[in-house]
Amino acid sequence: MLSILAFGAVLLAVTALADAGSGRLGVPQSIVLVLTGAAISIIPGLKPVTIKPDFVMLVLLPPLLYSAGVGMSWRGFRDNLRPILLLAIGCVLFTASAVAAACHFLLGMNWAVGFVLGAVVAPPDAVAPMAIARRLHMPQRLLTILEGEGLVNDATALILFAFAVGAVTSGGVSVSTALASFAAIVVGELAWGLAVAWTTLRIRRWAKSPQSEIILALLTPFLAFWPPHALGGSGVLAAVAAGLFVSWNGPRLIASATRLQGYFVWGLVTHAIEGLLFMLIGLQAKALASGLSGGGWQRLAEAAVVVTVVVVVVRFIWVFPATYLPRLIPAIGRRDPQPRWQMPFLIGFTGIRGVVSLAAALAIPRQIGDVPFPERDLILFVTFVVIMVTLIGQGALLPPVIKALGLADEGRREAADAKKAEVAARLAAIDAVLAEIDYLDAMGEDPAAIEALRRRHGDRRKEYAGTADDAVEGSPVAVDARLQARLIEAERDAIAIAYRDDAITDDARRRIERELDLEDARNLHALESATGDRLADPESEVEG
């Protein structure tokens, strides 16, 4: 037990160092962590590390799905439901079928086994491409579609995977029964996820304790995921539905103190899990190689090449018709005009596979009775190759592709327009505050307090009005925030001197430090808002 804990601690430390190194090198975190894990796995004398599928599915996946659901805009998800479902359901089924056909006709593989492999490699990863794309200037709709696809496609693939494995073990499966089961799973998981989110939000509101609320928030993804998964579903849709419900209803039901603490807690949890997953993918290199039976390497290599090419090409084949054909319907075309070809091309290019595919492959049973599961070693090997090629190859090329397509410039223009709208909303909100101050003044509130408040919010309005022309450089808000950061440091130094001279108690020092920390966080947020730069990890702002 102690050795396992020690290994876990070392793995987390290496993950943190590799993650920090990716920022210094300017290389995507996912690529650095996967390569680091692969390099560690081939160290002589180190035993192969094998991912336990249940550990990934039941422990690591639910918080990521839930937090992604909370961090996503419900309005954006709803408005882009057609392209999201066409990718998350249609493209997954199309890819799995294409892989099965290629394996059957080119490699002589049984249809049912081919569908097992197809279901395993069909869903693009929800973490890797978004971790790269969020740091680039991309149109918001593209981000929403890709993130929405990543939230839902795992459910389609895992349900299809269960049916395909069942077909291999039982010798066949009824299509009508499979479709009915799929519909029942979808409806049941959505209902359960919404019920869990509704219940936990109201218990949290009743608790009125940030610590208790955050504990309940951390339990919510598992409460949503585990029961459907245990009953034969995927659990994915339930966790996503719970997250989207909290995203929509949380602002009016979650206290501000809880949100402030929740940003840090969820940021730490999701960042650590994402980094650990990428590291674990790399660590599988030695385990998979040592588990392969001798001989047959030529067939393994052929299978890996065939499936990788099919997975990459088929996504492009699906994306373009799925983008343009629905818009031939007049009602859809009027509401949603045809996009430029660069947008579907980028969606097609972001088919990066990840840990869910690997966990599904590892979950394939070793035997059917006394007979080994057909082609299990080949499926494991091909899955790992597909993940490494798409994650490292497409992941590394994603930034230059976005730039070459001109989508970065479009994203910057969109961000500038969004900034103008944000400033206008801020000015309207401050005007509402000033009107309320006038009302309080008329009601006879303390004149000194009223004057101080009017002056403070009047100054805020002048600062934001200075950014309304989109002149980010030299923005009064940005300048004020940078100067305020120096003033906070000066105040910290003064408090440190007072504490050193025994002029204040430890309790007083902690209270002042907390106030300065909150002011520093508010000031940093103001600087981010004024400049448009994401100085903090965007994934940390998921829930309170």
Side-chain angles (χ1 to χ4, degrees):
M1 180 65 179
L2 186 59
S3 61
I4 295 176
L5 292 175
F7 177 77
V10 171
L11 188 60
L12 282 174
V14 173
T15 300
L17 291 173
D19 184 17
S22 70
R24 294 286 185 179
L25 296 171
V27 179
Q29 170 208 37
S30 53
I31 296 176
V32 172
L33 289 172
V34 167
L35 292 177
T36 301
I40 293 173
S41 73
I42 62 176
I43 294 176
L46 184 67
K47 293 182 179 179
V49 179
T50 303
I51 294 179
K52 297 295 183 183
D54 286 345
F55 176 68
V56 173
M57 293 293 185
L58 300 179
V59 179
L60 300 183
L61 190 59
L64 290 183
L65 292 169
Y66 173 77
S67 63
V70 174
M72 186 173 188
S73 164
W74 161 247
R75 183 170 56 188
F77 185 87
R78 178 197 62 200
D79 293 345
N80 292 282
L81 191 60
R82 185 191 74 252
I84 287 172
L85 293 183
L86 283 172
L87 289 169
I89 298 177
C91 191
V92 167
L93 296 177
F94 184 63
T95 303
S97 301
V99 170
C103 290
H104 178 73
F105 291 112
L106 299 179
L107 303 173
M109 191 179 292
N110 177 280
W111 272 106
V113 176
F115 267 104
V116 171
L117 176 54
V120 166
V121 299
D125 185 50
V127 177
M130 294 308 298
I132 298 171
R134 282 187 180 279
R135 286 162 173 79
L136 306 171
H137 294 283
M138 285 178 58
Q140 182 58 46
R141 190 179 187 193
L142 271 177
L143 290 173
T144 300
I145 291 172
L146 291 172
E147 189 172 11
E149 177 197 9
L151 288 176
V152 181
N153 63 8
D154 289 340
T156 306
L158 292 175
I159 294 170
L160 178 62
F161 171 76
F163 290 149
V165 171
V168 174
T169 56
S170 64
V173 64
S174 167
V175 175
S176 60
T177 301
L179 290 175
S181 299
F182 182 83
I185 289 171
V186 170
V187 173
E189 288 201 23
L190 291 176
W192 175 254
L194 294 174
V196 168
W198 186 90
T199 303
T200 54
L201 270 180
R202 274 146 185 83
I203 294 175
R204 289 168 59 181
R205 192 178 188 186
W206 170 81
K208 293 186 180 299
S209 165
Q211 290 78 13
S212 299
E213 286 190 62
I214 290 173
I215 291 173
L216 288 169
L218 291 171
L219 290 174
T220 299
F222 301 105
L223 293 173
F225 191 96
W226 286 347
H229 186 84
L231 293 173
S234 69
V236 172
L237 288 178
V240 171
L244 286 171
F245 185 88
V246 172
S247 172
W248 182 253
N249 295 278
R252 62 186 179 86
L253 295 175
I254 299 174
S256 57
T258 304
R259 280 197 297 272
L260 287 172
Q261 296 185 40
Y263 291 151
F264 168 77
V265 172
W266 277 105
L268 177 64
V269 168
T270 57
H271 190 75
I273 291 176
E274 288 172 3
L276 186 61
L277 285 174
F278 290 128
M279 181 70 73
L280 287 173
I281 289 174
L283 286 170
Q284 301 313 292
K286 187 174 183 178
L288 292 175
S290 62
L292 295 175
S293 55
W297 280 99
Q298 182 178 352
R299 185 166 184 268
L300 290 175
E302 290 175 352
V305 171
V306 167
V307 174
T308 301
V309 171
V310 168
V311 162
V312 172
V313 172
V314 160
R315 183 170 173 87
F316 284 99
I317 294 174
W318 175 268
V319 164
F320 279 92
T323 299
Y324 293 110
L325 289 181
R327 290 174 168 85
L328 297 179
I329 300 172
I332 296 177
R334 286 192 299 269
R335 187 176 65 252
D336 191 8
Q338 301 277 13
R340 296 186 302 118
W341 68 268
Q342 287 89 341
M343 296 186 72
F345 182 91
L346 185 63
I347 291 175
F349 192 82
T350 51
I352 299 172
R353 271 56 181 181
V355 72
V356 172
S357 293
L358 187 58
L362 291 169
I364 297 173
R366 293 184 178 275
Q367 290 188 315
I368 306 172
D370 296 330
V371 180
F373 192 97
E375 309 281 14
R376 187 177 188 273
D377 287 348
L378 182 145
I379 293 173
L380 286 172
F381 178 80
V382 169
T383 301
F384 186 75
V385 171
V386 169
I387 291 171
M388 295 297 282
V389 170
T390 58
L391 181 58
I392 297 175
Q394 290 180 285
L397 290 173
L398 190 55
V401 166
I402 292 173
K403 183 178 180 180
L405 293 175
L407 292 173
D409 295 334
E410 184 174 336
R412 291 189 186 95
R413 290 193 296 269
E414 184 182 281
D417 292 338
K419 182 63 184 176
K420 290 179 181 179
E422 177 187 335
V423 170
R426 287 179 180 273
L427 290 172
I430 295 174
D431 286 340
V433 169
L434 293 172
E436 185 68 15
I437 291 174
D438 291 339
Y439 173 76
L440 294 173
D441 189 12
M443 294 295 293
E445 291 290 347
D446 181 68
I450 290 293
E451 183 57 30
L453 290 170
R454 183 178 285 120
R455 185 167 54 250
R456 180 193 308 171
H457 292 286
D459 289 343
R460 287 180 63 215
R461 195 189 192 289
K462 290 177 183 177
E463 287 184 340
Y464 280 115
T467 68
D469 60 354
D470 199 35
V472 174
E473 288 298 324
S475 160
V477 178
V479 174
D480 178 271
R482 291 191 179 95
L483 294 176
Q484 182 64 14
R486 293 193 61 175
L487 300 180
I488 291 172
E489 285 305 309
E491 190 170 351
R492 286 188 192 278
D493 292 341
I495 294 301
I497 293 172
Y499 179 72
R500 183 197 63 193
D501 295 341
D502 206 20
I504 56 175
T505 65
D506 286 272
D507 287 341
R509 176 181 62 86
R510 293 190 187 99
R511 282 194 296 271
I512 296 171
E513 281 180 345
R514 175 169 173 74
E515 292 172 6
L516 291 174
D517 289 342
L518 290 172
E519 176 63 20
D520 200 17
R522 186 209 64 78
N523 192 61
L524 177 62
H525 187 75
L527 182 59
E528 292 175 346
S529 177
T531 61
D533 294 330
R534 298 296 297 176
L535 304 180
D537 185 356
E539 289 297 318
S540 67
E541 298 189 15
V542 289
E543 190 212 348

